[in-house]
Amino acid sequence: MSALLTLEGLGKDWFGVPAVEGLTLSIAPGEVLGLIGENGAGKSTLMNMIGGVVPPTRGRMLWEGQPYAPASAADATAEGVAFIHQELNLFGNLSIAENILIDGFPRRMGLIDRRAMARATEALMARLDLDLSPDRPVGTLVAGEKQLVEIAKALHRRARLIIFDEPTTSLTTREIERLFSLIDRLRAEGTAMIYISHILGDVVRVADRVAVLRDGSLVGEGPVDDFPVPRMIHSMIGRELADVFPPRRIAPPDAPPVLEVEGLSAPGVIEDVSLTVREGEVVGLFGLMGAGRSELARILFGLDPAERGRVRLGGQALHGGPRERIAAGMGFVTENRREEGLMMDASVRDNLALAALGQFAAGPLGLVDREKVGAAAQAMQQDLRIKAADLARQPVRSLSGGNQQKVVLGKWLLSRPHLLILDEPTRGVDVGARAEIYAIVNRLAEEGCGVLMISSELDELKGMCDRIAVMRGGEITGERSRAGGYRDADLVALAFGEQAAA
Amino acid sequence: MTAIDAPAPVPARQRRGFLARLLGSEYFVLWLTVGYFLVLLPFLPTLGTPANLVNLLSNMWPLLVVAIGQTFVMAVAGIDLSQGAVMALTSTLAAALLATGADPAVLAKAPIWGVLLSERGGLLDGRGGVGLALGLGLAVLAAVAVGLMNGIAVARFRMPPFMVTLVAMMIAGAFAIWLTQSENIRNLPEQFIALGKGDIVSVYFGARTESQLPRREVYPLVTYPAIVAIIVAVLAHWLLERTVFGRQVIAVGANRRAAEISGVPVVRVLILAFALSALFAAIGGLLYAARLEAGRPTLGSGTFLLDVIGATVIGGTSLFGGKARVIWTVFGVAFFVLLSNSLNLMNLSSFHVDMVKGAVILGAALLDVARTRLTRQALP
């Protein structure tokens, strides 16, 4: 069987750092390739290259033996590549028919031919066993139906390679079964598919071949029968622990607790979460995307409500929103610093001072002592080694990702927290700044601050944490301590919910 | 967090040249104003006469007070379209409460006739300074109530400021007109009218030939509106730049979510910003009423709002929030008043004046985009 798409030594650098390296892989018509790897292993970059979103830095792609270099997503679509994303790209206010035919409405005398539209849509929908009126607004459909509309769109464009990116995250069991039988049918019709998922059982069910990415490289590839779930897990993880983690004094096990969470629940988000963080302890929170880790953090910080359960900080029950939590001694480094962490166009100094404004104010009118702010910002700059030329005038937008993240950290350090929640603190941060951030966290812990660290990177958690709690589906599925030793397979199995032995 | 030196540009590199530095300057609009004045002066000598300069200043003060209010709302990424209507409401209420008498032929049909106002004057007339203060205070209070409602709708119910204040404009404006059935209320007490004049320091140009100076050649330089406006500007500047509240206003406008997570009481800050906007509009409205010697229910309608928003934006305050300074608004108002004045002196019709003003606002918006891009490029 000749290959539909062939990748030859494909590589992509982001700012000089390879995200994908030396990838050689091919996919044949009528074949389903399961693509697995940890978050940040390079899956998205690879898909973006195939989809024409970003050009490769090295190597080349072949489409039916001809060089394939899509300059845009539209090029890739024209060639026959279709994406079914996690976040579906549909217009909720438009009908099914309009969504499917959006890139070329059938016309009659310059006007849209509604009847031809309905006919075309009905034919496609019959192929997918989707029994709905073509006039239904897509916004009224359930997740599974929306996905089928997306697939119908792909079929309408005569897609020959369909890429599914985590297609089952929002589907019910029955919808998943329907999707799988559809994939089987498309395979029989000769459509090539790439199936990306964290749910390894699904990959086993649906894929013919498996490719495993780790750190941007292909580390395993073969027929699905050669890849039982434990081997998949083993291939995905298991890189050397780098020396970026500075040694740290382990927190005494009898240290008083800072954060006590008991039976915290918010329907559909988190379920019966109990957790303790002691003084000077760094506790990790591992899990896949969507496992409820960030949601838990938001609830702990009072940004979202909880229905049941208790949160105590230093023995005091917590109520109210972020204001009250900050006053009680909490800090929260959010996962997306641009949207929730920083005022991008404001100066470094203004950003640093934001959470601790009250400290710098005097008098009943709250007059800010500018010299105090300036001095504190300067001290923080030296302390965290923030590379900025002019604290008072330079907007944080102009800093590098690592330095931006240090500004967020500095903002919270100025408010002297007893508990700091870090959500993906090293995302988009280069290796050098990463090590510095780890050192800052360690020092903070040594000073007695409790740290709750959310990360998708197992190495980071293993290197940093006294304990690691694992979440899946909004629940804590297990907790391991450094003393008991961390085993990757064990932690990943907890996150994936697979029974796997390493 | 004390951005007295502004959240704005990092010093542009020398080779970026004079134009870039001028555009990036904090005082760009001031230079623009001065430049415009100097360029036009040879062609329009009346522009520089003492009478016109005094006229320029007296036009500037009430507008400045109102525009400073708008600055606070824009700083939180909002807009306040109800300022004109709030001014009308304030001036009408204050006049109704304080008038020394009223003509039944004009006002007998008004709903407030016999309630707040009668032939013998307003409810609080003839009670001396206390009555005056009470009357002005009540009118301002009504305005602040409108502002609070705007703020609550925006902050608590998360309604778009444009819609909220548009509705407030319609309702408050119509209410003011209904109160008097669209009639002006005259016969304001002397002390009220004095608020619009008050030549505390006057200047006289010319030789001192007679012991009695000719009245029309004496130009009032320091007036009550000037004092009020300057006090308001200084207080507002201080509030925005130096206090925790001011820094929170900027933070909410710069990034509402980040502000919330950093413990800024976003809802309170938003409500207060809209209340301040209405408060300053009310003060401006009273100054206008004093100058017109009447409470006017149609005050601040028409293109007045264009002047306020135009002046504020030209000053450099961003419509998208997080970038605002009172001093910028002072420059913006100065430029705008000069622009209107010069266009009037050219004997253009009011239509032409508005067209040119609109074009200038457009130009200012484009300049703002260019400045933002420039300062971003200038970054290391």
Side-chain angles (χ1 to χ4, degrees), chain B residues 144-228:
Chain B
V144 172
V146 174
L148 283 175
M149 280 190 278
N150 282 339
I152 289 168
V154 169
R156 278 238 185 276
F157 305 124
R158 291 198 165 240
M159 292 166 71
F162 189 93
M163 274 309 298
V164 169
T165 57
L166 185 70
V167 169
M169 171 179 97
M170 293 168 69
I171 295 176
F175 181 68
I177 289 173
W178 173 78
L179 283 178
T180 70
Q181 300 295 304
S182 197
E183 296 296 341
N184 293 348
I185 300 175
R186 303 197 169 279
N187 307 315
L188 299 186
E190 274 308 310
Q191 301 108 301
F192 192 165
I193 290 171
L195 195 61
K197 299 184 191 146
D199 30 352
I200 297 160
V201 175
S202 300
V203 287
Y204 169 70
F205 295 90
R208 182 166 181 171
T209 47
E210 302 160 51
S211 60
Q212 202 69 24
L213 294 175
R215 181 72 192 152
R216 64 187 168 77
E217 283 174 33
V218 177
Y219 304 109
L221 190 68
V222 180
T223 57
Y224 281 119
I227 291 173
V228 169

Side-chain angles (χ1 to χ4, degrees), chain B residues 24 107 111 174-175 228 242 267 318:
Chain B
L107 283 161
F175 181 68
V228 169
R242 301 293 309 275
V267 169
S318 168

Side-chain angles (χ1 to χ4, degrees), chain A residues 60-287:
Chain A
R60 61 171 189 162
M61 297 185 275
L62 299 174
W63 184 265
E64 292 189 308
Q66 300 300 309
Y68 168 67
S72 66
D75 271 8
T77 307
E79 202 67 56
V81 177
F83 272 93
I84 312 296
H85 280 284
Q86 252 168 313
E87 311 291 329
L88 298 173
N89 296 315
L90 294 171
F91 302 96
N93 53 335
L94 299 185
S95 73
I96 296 176
E98 285 166 330
N99 265 289
I100 291 175
L101 304 175
I102 189 87
D103 60 347
F105 290 120
R107 263 172 290 188
R108 237 176 88 184
M109 302 192 328
L111 297 176
I112 291 175
D113 184 348
R114 297 261 158 207
R115 231 177 297 164
M117 261 176 87
R119 267 201 310 277
T121 309
E122 270 162 5
L124 281 168
M125 283 167 46
R127 263 177 86 187
L128 301 180
D129 284 337
L130 189 62
D131 188 19
L132 292 169
S133 157
D135 295 329
R136 271 274 291 277
V138 162
T140 64
L141 306 182
V142 300
E145 291 168 340
K146 282 184 193 164
Q147 195 171 58
L148 289 174
V149 171
E150 189 85 80
I151 296 171
K153 207 162 110 185
L155 293 181
H156 170 67
R157 290 170 177 175
R158 307 194 188 291
R160 299 174 58 200
L161 173 65
I162 302 182
I163 299 168
F164 293 91
D165 188 3
E166 296 286 351
T168 57
T169 39
S170 51
L171 301 191
T172 63
T173 322
R174 259 184 45 210
E175 287 169 341
I176 292 173
E177 221 16 78
R178 179 155 74 164
L179 175 68
F180 287 171
S181 57
L182 177 63
I183 289 178
D184 289 340
R185 207 145 12 111
L186 292 173
R187 172 179 15 221
E189 288 173 16
T191 308
M193 284 168 277
I194 298 178
Y195 188 93
I196 304 171
S197 183
H198 280 308
I199 304 169
L200 304 179
D202 289 356
V203 175
V204 173
R205 155 75 178 79
V206 82
D208 302 309
R209 237 157 25 100
V210 175
V212 189
L213 283 186
R214 191 208 303 157
D215 288 344
S217 305
L218 189 68
V219 293
E221 194 235 320
V224 72
D225 294 338
D226 293 353
F227 273 90
V229 170
R231 183 173 169 200
M232 285 189 195
I233 293 175
H234 187 78
S235 303
M236 277 164 63
I237 54 176
R239 90 192 93 158
E240 298 299 317
L241 206 77
D243 290 333
V244 292
F245 304 104
R248 187 165 68 82
R249 182 167 56 88
I250 290 170
D254 55 345
V258 184
L259 175 77
E260 294 162 278
V261 183
E262 277 172 53
L264 200 64
S265 295
V269 183
I270 57 166
E271 188 58 46
D272 197 26
V273 169
S274 296
L275 191 70
T276 306
V277 180
R278 295 174 197 284
E279 270 179 24
E281 206 180 23
V282 180
V283 175
L285 208 49
F286 182 63

Side-chain angles (χ1 to χ4, degrees), chain B residues 103-344:
Chain B
D103 185 355
V106 178
L107 283 161
K109 277 186 288 197
I112 52 169
W113 190 256
V115 186
L116 294 181
L117 185 67
S118 67
E119 256 170 281
R120 279 168 293 134
L123 202 60
L124 294 169
D125 171 47
R127 300 187 191 207
V130 181
L132 183 73
L134 204 60
L136 298 181
L138 283 173
V140 169
L141 224 57
V144 172
V146 174
L148 283 175
M149 280 190 278
N150 282 339
I152 289 168
V154 169
R156 278 238 185 276
F157 305 124
R158 291 198 165 240
M159 292 166 71
F162 189 93
M163 274 309 298
V164 169
T165 57
L166 185 70
V167 169
M169 171 179 97
M170 293 168 69
I171 295 176
F175 181 68
I177 289 173
W178 173 78
L179 283 178
T180 70
Q181 300 295 304
S182 197
E183 296 296 341
N184 293 348
I185 300 175
R186 303 197 169 279
N187 307 315
L188 299 186
E190 274 308 310
Q191 301 108 301
F192 192 165
I193 290 171
L195 195 61
K197 299 184 191 146
D199 30 352
I200 297 160
V201 175
S202 300
V203 287
Y204 169 70
F205 295 90
R208 182 166 181 171
T209 47
E210 302 160 51
S211 60
Q212 202 69 24
L213 294 175
R215 181 72 192 152
R216 64 187 168 77
E217 283 174 33
V218 177
Y219 304 109
L221 190 68
V222 180
T223 57
Y224 281 119
I227 291 173
V228 169
I230 289 167
I231 289 175
V232 162
V234 169
L235 285 180
H237 174 82
W238 179 81
L239 186 66
L240 192 60
E241 305 273 338
R242 301 293 309 275
T243 67
V244 170
F245 169 73
R247 300 291 82 198
Q248 289 176 336
V249 163
I250 297 290
V252 168
N255 187 341
R256 181 172 172 163
R257 282 164 73 192
E260 191 185 4
I261 287 169
S262 302
V264 173
V266 172
V267 169
R268 192 203 310 164
V269 167
L270 279 172
I271 292 175
L272 282 176
F274 278 91
L276 278 176
S277 171
L279 171 68
F280 290 153
I283 295 171
L286 292 177
L287 293 181
Y288 276 118
R291 194 164 134 191
L292 296 166
E293 303 187 11
R296 182 190 278 187
T298 54
L299 189 67
S301 56
T303 58
F304 176 78
L305 215 58
L306 182 81
D307 293 11
V308 175
I309 293 171
T312 312
V313 173
I314 283 176
T317 293
S318 168
L319 277 165
F320 305 108
K323 210 177 108 196
R325 299 193 74 198
V326 171
I327 190 80
W328 290 346
T329 299
V330 173
F331 300 153
V333 168
F335 179 75
F336 217 75
V337 167
L338 176 66
L339 178 75
S340 302
N341 178 262
S342 62
L343 294 174
N344 285 333

